[in-house]
Amino acid sequence: MPYRSGTPQLLTEDDGRALADELGLRLVADLRSPAEGTSEGEGGLAVSDHRRLSVPLVVASTVQEGSPVPRFADQDPLAPHYLAYLDHSQDEIVALVRALAEPQGVRALVYCTVGKDRTGAAMMMVLDAIGVE
């Protein structure tokens, strides 16, 4: 089962090596936008030996251009927001599920900037796909 997190940018190189060694990480899946990845970096995980997969989930309606922060306008703001990932990031979700199904996917870290919305929704979809209620 993959581990879920917010961005590891604050990890030191020693932290990154220790995390990778202790968890045996073989796959790190980054759900952030390319702009977030460029500005935030990978932190200490950049030094560990793993497959890196960039699968940015698109935030359909944001508070401002280039922001990963969603605009919540509905009475139930989260359900439409999470379902929008299915409309705008189908290829990325399929790529993530395929990568997690590979042998190295057993030891994976999946993350975005905060580790809540995109990462939570992605893991919910993965768990649903394999029959977890």
Side-chain angles (χ1 to χ4, degrees):
M1 189 60 191
Y3 295 93
R4 167 183 160 187
S5 179
T7 186
Q9 70 188 23
L10 300 178
L11 292 174
T12 66
E13 290 184 1
D14 287 342
D15 293 336
R17 281 188 201 91
L19 184 63
D21 291 345
E22 289 175 24
L23 299 179
L25 290 181
R26 297 294 168 254
L27 171 68
V28 174
D30 183 353
L31 307 181
R32 300 173 300 166
S33 71
E36 290 172 284
T38 298
S39 69
E40 296 172 358
E42 288 185 80
L45 281 181
V47 300
S48 67
D49 183 26
H50 62 269
R51 175 181 169 209
R52 184 179 186 284
L53 178 67
S54 177
V55 283
L57 295 192
V58 174
V59 178
S61 175
T62 61
V63 294
Q64 66 185 33
E65 182 69 31
S67 169
V69 179
R71 178 182 321 249
F72 295 124
D74 296 337
Q75 293 242 348
D76 179 2
L78 293 181
H81 171 65
Y82 292 159
L83 290 172
Y85 292 135
L86 292 171
D87 291 331
H88 300 282
S89 302
Q90 294 171 7
D91 293 341
E92 290 79 4
I93 293 167
V94 169
L96 176 62
V97 170
R98 286 185 174 148
L100 292 173
E102 294 174 1
Q104 69 266 27
V106 173
R107 298 285 186 190
L109 174 68
V110 178
Y111 73 94
C112 63
T113 295
V114 177
K116 183 178 76 69
D117 293 314
R118 289 172 285 184
T119 303
M123 296 315 305
M124 176 184 61
M125 289 181 238
V126 168
L127 292 170
D128 185 65
I130 61 172
V132 175
E133 294 196 23

